[in-house]
Amino acid sequence: MLLWMLACTMMFGQTKTENISGLIQQQNGDPMPEIAVQIVELDKHTLTDTQGRYRFTEIPSGAYHLKIQVIGAKEVQIPFSVKDEDRAVEVNYRFDKENIAMIQEVRILKGVNKFSEKESPYVAKLPLKNLENPQVYISVPKALIQEQLAEDIGSITKNLPGAGIPMLANQGRVTFLTRGFSTEPMVRNGISGFSYTTIDPVNLERIEAIRGPSGTLFGTNLATYGGLFNRVTKKPFNDFGGEISYTGGSWNYNRFTVDVNTPVNASKTVLFRLNGATTFQKSFQDLGFKNNVTVAPSLSYQITDRLSILFDIEYGREKGTSVVRFNPFLKSNKIQSIADMNFPYNKLFGSNDMPYETEMMNIFTQMNYKISDQWASQTVFSRARSTIDGYTTAITGMSDTTARLQVTKGNTNFIATNIQQNFIGDFLIAGHRNRLIVGMDYYNNANSFDRVVVNGKTFDFTNPADANAVANPSYFDNQMATGTGRVQKNGDNSYAVYFSNVFNVTDQFLVMASVRGDRYQNLGVTDIAKNTETGAYWQTNFSPKLGLVYEVIKNKVSLFGNYMNGFTNVSGSDFSGNSFKPEQANQYEFGVKGDLLNHKLVGTVSYYNIQVKDMLRTDPDHADFNIQDGTRLSKGFEVEFTANPFNGFNIVGGYTYNESEMTKADSSVNGLRPGLSGPSNMYNLWASYEIPSGNLKGLGLGFGGIKGNESFHTNTTTAKVTIPAYTVLDASLFYNHKKFRVGVKVNNLTNEKTWSVRLTPQNPTNVMGSIDFKF
């Protein structure tokens, strides 16, 4: 009897409530999603959901503390108690200071100006709002990508002012323009994530175009003097859900995608997300195809209230045919247009039996640890690998009407390893706020080549019978034994330290000062066939960055200016034996940023001037040597904006003017705009309306396009090849329901003929349709 009474006492003495729940809010009342919440005494953890709510179940009676941890804010502990008679206890908290990291997530949830996602932890690697950042950057968010049925990176960047017609390389690699410089999307989540193959956008949350020389924080491997493109990937979230989608279109286009997210454990501290896609498409030309598959799993783990880890992989395989890459025959003292060369627009001059095969894998790990209320540690590791096998082709003009095919066959491997350790602080000195990052950066390239190049027979590209017999796999395979071989490996290491501090002189006046010290080791080229090693060298460089911001109207309008540096390591020496130093690009820029009408109008207007110096040019006194005194100018004016004039109506637009000139160079190009630098004037616009309420809620349509003036493929004093001006218009019709989405889009409505800077013909009018099921 006594034992029975004791058992009952213990059982009823541990009465458990239904749950402990609550709401975590920002200073202004907006919810704070994905925040670590802990009951200290029970060591139970969870994360808030997208609405800022959390929940614990089966909590015994007793006195407890609820601990809330947010990077960039002080730790909070809230005492509460659970009594026997309680069935539910609610513990809410509102922070007394704004948290930068949460602003963007909340705006997305509110649906205000849904195409504007400006706050980014990657641009400055610090908790800075867009209006506080002296650097210009532009984002294309997932909402816009989905509305436009943009199924490839090139279609997405139509929304980035000045990106131009994308240049697609033979094995699927894509390059864009920014401020007159060719730039590849080499960065993923703020660190190396290059891919020399096709990048599938299935796991993209957004793309960020970060403007200007960015060597201080990103080094020389990931950015050009025009800037860089950062791919921000989808992250796991605290709920079950996802989408399955099918898209079909012209030229046998078929695409299937999946996006599934789920918590792994009951406390929802381990989250998993899987994105995947497979695409098959034929070319609009007489031959050509592409078939690929991508898998991108991601796992996040809130290990403790202070420590979290994110791990994801991006894996892809592709088989396809090279796109047209035409190098025309150059006529002396003549201006030629690709549109007038009678080079067939609809012919591949290749073979479906001469494909390339690629494999890509990017591994990314990030560990965040909150050291104190003022300091956090961020450790990031990235490993990127691209492998290319099979055939790639190019076409070389031999006369006005003839050309020959150049075929490369073999294996190429590119491997990059990037490790960063950052310490990020947010603290006061004499009452003035400082946001500081101190980082260490290691980057390694390791590349290998085992391939052969051969030239085919000259053919008449204006004669269909002659042109049809160009690509014969047996012929080229037989020629490989006598072709030009490349059996080599090369590599390099970069060791760098950097710091960047943003100092609040006043609440509205900020000063940024940053510098990078970079030690570069080129490992040279090893010719395996000849058993030789050449070209190894070391270089040291310092890269500064300065910025000023004055918020004329707090959180609404800011004036900014910056001085930024980029650099490129250069090998070799001049006639006198003097070793070359790194080439430098220095930019100054000023402008205005706005976030007005309760976030309904967001944009930037800026003027920039980039001076490149220490470029190599031919020594006029010693033709077999170079001297390092060349210069180049790139300056211009940019406007970009997103607007939400009224509920349901959204606009994205931009204009860029770029003036580029070789100001001190070889006589053949001195004083001229560089070839491949794109149009000097480019425009982009997209406007859409989605009915916000009523029986037709979710029905919408969109219309927009891109425009650019005439540009140069080749521009010298003796020969010029031009690319015509273009205006490409697109339109879409869609219906967005909470359980599904249906869309139809027509690309290139007017069937405009356009070419990339490599003279690759772009798609004529085509139609796509998609259906997405949400769960």
Side-chain angles (χ1 to χ4, degrees):
M1 185 69 175
L2 182 62
L3 290 174
W4 182 84
M5 292 177 62
L6 180 61
C8 289
T9 301
M10 293 176 65
M11 180 174 63
F12 288 103
Q14 293 292 318
T15 301
K16 296 186 178 182
T17 66
E18 179 181 342
N19 64 70
I20 305 296
S21 62
L23 173 65
I24 311 300
Q25 297 173 294
Q26 291 202 72
Q27 180 189 29
N28 62 359
D30 288 337
M32 297 189 72
E34 308 297 327
I35 298 304
V37 181
Q38 177 191 10
I39 298 179
V40 177
E41 288 78 6
L42 301 179
D43 197 27
K44 291 178 74 78
H45 303 258
T46 191
L47 296 172
T48 58
D49 62 19
T50 55
Q51 301 300 318
R53 295 194 172 276
Y54 70 91
R55 181 183 178 188
F56 294 99
T57 59
E58 298 183 336
I59 305 301
S61 303
Y64 303 103
H65 289 83
L66 187 77
K67 183 159 72 172
I68 304 169
Q69 286 275 18
V70 181
I71 291 179
K74 290 184 178 181
E75 175 187 299
V76 175
Q77 289 204 23
I78 307 168
F80 71 96
S81 61
V82 178
K83 300 178 181 178
D84 290 348
E85 62 270 20
D86 290 333
R87 298 300 301 163
V89 174
E90 186 166 329
V91 182
N92 301 320
Y93 185 77
R94 178 182 289 192
F95 279 84
D96 58 2
K97 290 185 179 181
E98 181 180 68
N99 187 272
I100 305 303
M102 294 298 108
I103 292 175
Q104 181 154 286
E105 297 298 328
V106 172
R107 283 176 172 169
I108 294 169
L109 292 171
K110 284 185 170 182
V112 178
N113 200 351
K114 62 181 181 179
F115 296 152
S116 179
E117 293 189 18
K118 276 294 191 181
E119 315 311 333
S120 171
Y122 305 108
V123 178
K125 299 183 183 289
L126 286 169
L128 285 181
K129 292 186 296 184
N130 174 49
L131 293 181
E132 296 177 316
N133 197 327
Q135 188 167 3
V136 175
Y137 60 98
I138 307 158
S139 296
V140 181
K142 181 176 65 176
L144 183 54
I145 295 171
Q146 288 181 331
E147 181 174 290
Q148 293 183 342
L149 272 68
E151 307 288 4
D152 59 82
I153 299 291
S155 298
I156 295 171
T157 56
K158 286 182 178 180
N159 302 287
L160 294 173
I165 302 291
M167 189 281 288
L168 191 64
N170 288 334
Q171 67 279 11
R173 190 173 94 198
V174 67
T175 301
F176 312 103
L177 293 166
T178 177
R179 298 190 170 178
F181 297 91
S182 295
T183 306
E184 298 181 36
M186 301 286 283
V187 183
R188 180 173 179 263
N189 296 327
I191 196 170
S192 173
F194 79 75
S195 175
Y196 289 124
T197 64
T198 296
I199 300 172
D200 196 296
V202 67
N203 67 326
L204 280 186
E205 190 67 39
R206 65 183 181 274
I207 285 185
E208 298 174 343
I210 303 173
R211 304 297 207 191
S214 301
T216 308
L217 292 180
F218 294 95
T220 184
N221 292 287
L222 307 179
T224 69
Y225 302 149
L228 62 100
F229 294 97
N230 180 38
R231 306 179 340 260
V232 180
T233 59
K234 297 174 182 177
K235 309 297 191 299
F237 56 91
N238 184 10
D239 204 353
F240 175 78
E243 294 183 11
I244 295 175
S245 172
Y246 169 76
T247 304
S250 303
W251 312 305
N252 199 27
Y253 184 90
N254 289 276
R255 176 174 170 84
F256 176 78
T257 68
V258 61
D259 179 359
V260 180
N261 185 92
T262 183
V264 176
N265 59 352
S267 60
K268 298 184 178 182
T269 55
V270 182
L271 310 173
F272 179 76
R273 188 168 186 173
L274 177 66
N275 284 274
T278 182
T279 305
F280 177 82
Q281 58 183 316
K282 292 184 177 178
S283 170
F284 73 89
Q285 295 174 317
D286 59 340
L287 294 168
F289 73 95
K290 183 187 293 185
N291 188 6
N292 58 46
V293 61
T294 296
V295 180
S298 180
L299 179 75
S300 69
Y301 181 23
Q302 188 75 37
I303 301 172
T304 70
D305 56 341
R306 290 179 176 269
L307 178 64
S308 66
I309 189 170
L310 173 67
F311 176 77
D312 67 30
I313 296 175
E314 189 176 45
Y315 177 82
R317 292 182 68 100
E318 179 170 283
K319 183 177 182 179
T321 50
S322 292
V323 297
V324 170
R325 183 179 64 174
F326 182 44
N327 300 304
F329 179 75
L330 301 180
K331 294 181 179 180
S332 181
N333 299 315
K334 284 196 175 183
I335 300 176
Q336 306 174 82
S337 171
I338 179 61
D340 300 328
M341 290 183 181
N342 296 318
F343 188 82
Y345 196 83
N346 294 319
K347 289 195 71 66
L348 180 68
F349 296 106
S351 169
N352 288 348
D353 295 324
M354 295 173 58
Y356 64 81
E357 294 187 37
T358 64
E359 184 179 60
M360 174 269 288
M361 184 167 68
N362 290 338
I363 299 173
F364 174 89
T365 302
Q366 177 174 312
M367 183 177 293
N368 294 318
Y369 181 70
K370 184 173 181 179
I371 300 171
S372 68
D373 291 342
Q374 290 80 34
W375 286 95
S377 168
Q378 180 190 76
T379 307
V380 190
F381 170 85
S382 173
R383 178 111 178 178
R385 176 178 64 84
S386 294
T387 299
I388 305 163
D389 287 295
Y391 302 84
T392 56
T393 60
I395 303 168
T396 302
M398 306 303 292
S399 72
D400 287 355
T401 60
T402 62
R404 69 181 183 189
L405 196 65
Q406 184 184 81
V407 176
T408 302
K409 183 182 180 183
N411 172 268
T412 306
N413 286 279
F414 302 96
I415 301 175
T417 303
N418 198 180
I419 303 173
Q420 287 185 4
Q421 173 60 53
N422 296 314
F423 296 98
I424 303 167
D426 190 343
F427 52 89
L428 299 178
I429 296 179
H432 295 273
R433 186 182 184 186
N434 289 260
R435 280 164 283 185
L436 172 67
I437 181 170
V438 178
M440 294 171 285
D441 189 6
Y442 168 72
Y443 188 91
N444 168 265
N445 272 318
N447 311 314
S448 63
F449 308 85
D450 184 1
R451 60 195 193 191
V452 178
V453 179
V454 296
N455 292 311
K457 299 176 182 178
T458 299
F459 63 92
D460 185 348
F461 57 73
T462 65
N463 182 344
D466 200 11
N468 286 337
V470 172
N472 185 322
S474 298
Y475 169 82
F476 286 105
D477 286 344
N478 291 334
Q479 296 298 310
M480 291 295 166
T482 58
T484 303
R486 182 183 183 188
V487 186
Q488 296 176 341
K489 63 179 181 179
N490 61 42
D492 57 72
N493 293 304
S494 293
Y495 309 88
V497 294
Y498 51 83
F499 85 88
S500 180
N501 188 50
V502 176
F503 178 77
N504 278 69
V505 180
T506 69
D507 186 47
Q508 293 175 245
F509 181 41
L510 296 81
V511 177
M512 173 185 280
S514 318
V515 69
R516 179 189 191 93
D518 193 280
R519 181 64 169 161
Y520 175 77
Q521 178 190 21
N522 190 303
L523 300 174
V525 177
T526 299
D527 191 314
I528 297 172
K530 298 178 181 179
N531 195 27
T532 60
E533 295 184 7
T534 57
Y537 67 96
W538 289 82
Q539 278 184 340
T540 301
N541 190 66
F542 293 93
S543 179
K545 176 183 178 182
L546 303 172
L548 297 173
V549 175
Y550 178 64
E551 292 191 69
V552 181
I553 305 175
K554 182 68 176 177
N555 295 327
K556 295 184 184 299
V557 179
S558 66
L559 302 177
F560 69 91
N562 66 58
Y563 172 85
M564 296 168 57
N565 172 268
F567 59 97
T568 301
N569 295 103
V570 179
S571 64
S573 58
D574 60 20
F575 177 78
S576 301
N578 299 310
S579 296
F580 294 134
K581 56 189 176 182
E583 180 182 286
Q584 302 282 337
N586 296 304
Q587 170 188 280
Y588 64 83
E589 179 178 19
F590 56 86
V592 59
K593 295 182 179 183
D595 191 333
L596 303 170
L597 305 175
N598 194 25
H599 198 58
K600 290 182 178 293
L601 178 61
V602 179
T604 305
V605 179
S606 69
Y607 169 84
Y608 64 88
N609 185 298
I610 303 172
Q611 301 274 354
V612 185
K613 65 176 185 176
D614 299 328
M615 299 177 68
L616 298 186
R617 67 184 184 101
T618 303
D619 187 336
D621 299 320
H622 307 94
D624 294 331
F625 290 86
N626 290 322
I627 55 176
Q628 195 176 25
D629 65 350
T631 59
R632 174 179 172 177
L633 169 68
S634 178
K635 62 181 181 180
F637 175 78
E638 293 181 344
V639 179
E640 64 86 16
F641 70 93
T642 60
N644 179 211
F646 54 86
N647 194 16
F649 184 47
N650 290 275
I651 307 172
V652 176
Y655 165 73
T656 64
Y657 170 74
N658 174 260
E659 180 182 332
S660 289
E661 181 184 348
M662 303 299 295
T663 48
K664 189 173 185 180
D666 293 344
S667 59
S668 61
V669 296
N670 195 49
L672 300 178
R673 183 178 181 87
L676 311 182
S677 58
S680 57
N681 291 276
M682 286 188 272
Y683 309 79
N684 67 283
L685 181 70
W686 181 261
S688 67
Y689 178 68
E690 181 178 338
I691 298 173
S693 60
N695 294 333
L696 297 179
K697 179 182 178 181
L699 181 65
L701 54 87
F703 176 80
I706 57 175
K707 179 182 177 66
N709 63 349
E710 184 181 68
S711 60
F712 290 101
H713 169 272
T714 303
N715 188 21
T716 71
T717 56
T718 58
K720 299 181 188 296
V721 176
T722 63
I723 303 170
Y726 59 85
T727 301
V728 180
L729 302 175
D730 306 327
S732 70
L733 178 68
F734 57 89
Y735 177 65
N736 199 6
H737 186 269
K738 64 180 180 179
K739 293 295 185 182
F740 65 90
R741 188 180 190 281
V742 179
V744 177
K745 188 182 181 190
V746 182
N747 296 301
N748 196 357
L749 283 165
T750 60
N751 206 31
E752 184 94 346
K753 285 188 175 182
T754 58
W755 292 263
S756 72
V757 293
R758 267 188 166 179
L759 303 185
T760 304
Q762 304 298 296
N763 286 341
T765 300
N766 62 93
V767 181
M768 304 178 72
S770 75
I771 181 167
D772 302 5
F773 295 99
K774 311 172 188 178
F775 54 89

